[in-house]
Amino acid sequence: MRSRSGRPRVGLIGTGGISAAHIAGWQVLGSDLTLYSRSGARAAAERVGARAAATVGELIEGSDIVGILTPPATHREYALAALAAGRHVVCEKPLGRTVAEAIDIAAAAATSAGVLFPAHVVRYFPAYAEARARVAAGEIGEVLATRFLRAGTAPPAGGWFYDEAASGGIIMDQLVHDLDQARWFAGEVTEVYARRATGATGTASGSGEPPAPVHTAAVTLTHASGATSQVTGYWGPPGLEFTTGFDLHGTTAALRHSTLDARSLTLDPTGTGEAAYIPAGDPADSPFTAQLRDLLAAIDGAPARVEPFDGVVSVAIAQAALESVRTRGPVAVDERELRSAVHTR
């Protein structure tokens, strides 16, 4: 997993917005970077001191680790090609645009020499990781209910985010983070009920197109344990401050976090709102870099914080939410069936 210079050889497919975080992380880790995209790769490579590949095949051939940073509808094609070549793969969320695509990718990884790593980076944000450790240590007792919020300015009009066939919209693109978090904290999900709405104003693209509409979505999850989770997302008007947060309620205490709260992560032992400060971790350590360090450790055989099946289940929950929006009723999720599908492909 090293070039002649002794550095990890990493090829990134896609040079859109999220690529900056991956490029910075890999540079911190001393990688030998190659970039490919349908347009803009050469300019991006020149800016960051990387090489530009002319084709996906050239990038895969010259890399040991392949990062897939493209729209979800392309993930299956690129992941299968990289895994077939025995390359390690880190794939941006969601793992696939559909459950079937995510299963295909996970099944291919099971027989590949490469490691598959779904990029569920929120698991590496300090407040979420700290809360997970405290829940696992029993500090709030048995988890009874969780709530998650994710809100920010809507993506520019005219982009692939609004093409549901490509992105899955706000539920598959934005809320997949918190659907994964709800399962991480409260366990297996058995039923999903969702609602989605579209407003009239949003973010102008600057290209003469009409403003993007705002979107809201609310997803209710029932867990096998009997716990419930409420996940809410909002693509809002221009200038809306990006905000995330959670409330975790257990039998003995509650954990709360909001990016709008300077105290960051708080523990409320009584449920009365009298919270004690808990440090959220080192803010200088990027969650994206921490995520990539975990991938490198997994390549060396260590257990990872995110496994391929986590990527499959998060897509299944998001797809169930989209189906619930369509049918206006609850939709079941069966993890045993999903795991069987991965193993029998």
Side-chain angles (χ1 to χ4, degrees):
M1 196 184 64
R2 302 284 171 178
S3 66
R4 291 181 180 178
S5 66
R7 301 190 296 170
R9 299 188 306 168
V10 177
L12 302 182
I13 304 174
T15 56
I18 198 63
S19 68
H22 285 259
I23 289 169
W26 283 120
Q27 288 179 325
V28 166
L29 297 172
S31 72
D32 187 351
L33 271 177
T34 302
L35 309 180
Y36 169 81
S37 66
R38 292 178 180 174
S39 63
R42 188 168 300 280
E46 288 175 357
R47 284 196 306 271
V48 301
R51 288 188 300 276
T55 65
V56 170
E58 178 187 324
L59 178 135
I60 292 173
E61 177 64 26
S63 303
D64 299 293
I65 301 169
V66 174
I68 300 173
L69 318 179
T70 51
T74 66
H75 288 182
R76 179 183 181 276
E77 173 191 352
Y78 294 140
L80 293 186
L83 290 166
R87 303 310 189 247
H88 307 296
V89 171
V90 55
C91 182
E92 261 301 328
K93 55 75 191 169
L95 182 59
R97 170 57 188 85
T98 66
V99 176
E101 291 177 0
I103 288 172
D104 283 347
I105 296 169
T111 59
S112 171
V115 169
L116 172 63
F117 192 92
H120 284 276
V121 72
V122 176
R123 294 192 182 202
Y124 298 87
F125 274 74
Y128 291 81
E130 176 74 12
R132 166 68 176 179
R134 291 178 176 273
V135 168
E139 291 193 19
I140 70 170
E142 181 183 351
V143 176
L144 299 177
T146 75
R147 291 187 297 179
F148 296 88
L149 170 68
R150 187 166 299 268
T153 299
W160 59 266
F161 293 97
Y162 297 100
D163 177 358
E164 190 158 297
S167 73
I170 187 172
I171 290 175
M172 188 71 76
D173 178 75
Q174 186 205 57
L175 287 192
V176 72
H177 279 305
D178 297 297
L179 299 176
D180 174 66
Q181 287 298 299
R183 177 174 172 266
W184 203 38
F185 284 110
E188 179 182 348
V189 173
T190 58
E191 189 176 87
V192 180
Y193 182 80
R195 286 289 178 266
R196 183 180 59 191
T198 302
T201 61
T203 307
S205 67
S207 63
E209 297 182 25
V214 300
H215 287 241
T216 59
V219 183
T220 301
L221 308 177
T222 301
H223 298 268
S225 66
T228 59
S229 294
Q230 183 71 38
V231 178
T232 303
Y234 182 38
W235 279 346
L240 180 68
E241 182 176 358
F242 181 68
T243 304
T244 67
F246 59 74
D247 290 82
L248 310 174
H249 297 272
T251 51
T252 60
L255 275 170
R256 297 186 173 92
H257 163 71
S258 171
T259 53
L260 296 180
D261 183 352
R263 295 173 303 179
S264 190
L265 182 63
T266 60
L267 176 67
D268 182 357
T270 62
T272 63
E274 298 175 359
Y277 172 65
I278 298 171
D282 182 4
D285 190 9
S286 164
F288 288 91
T289 305
Q291 171 182 255
L292 298 177
R293 284 196 187 98
D294 202 24
L295 166 61
L296 292 177
I299 290 171
D300 289 336
R305 194 175 298 180
V306 185
E307 298 180 352
F309 189 65
D310 296 320
V312 173
V313 176
S314 67
V315 173
I317 296 170
Q319 185 167 300
L322 290 171
E323 179 66 10
S324 178
V325 168
R326 188 184 70 83
T327 63
R328 297 182 173 272
V331 176
V333 174
D334 188 333
E335 288 200 14
R336 287 176 297 181
E337 189 175 282
L338 290 169
R339 197 176 291 277
S340 176
V342 171
H343 291 318
T344 55
R345 283 292 170 94

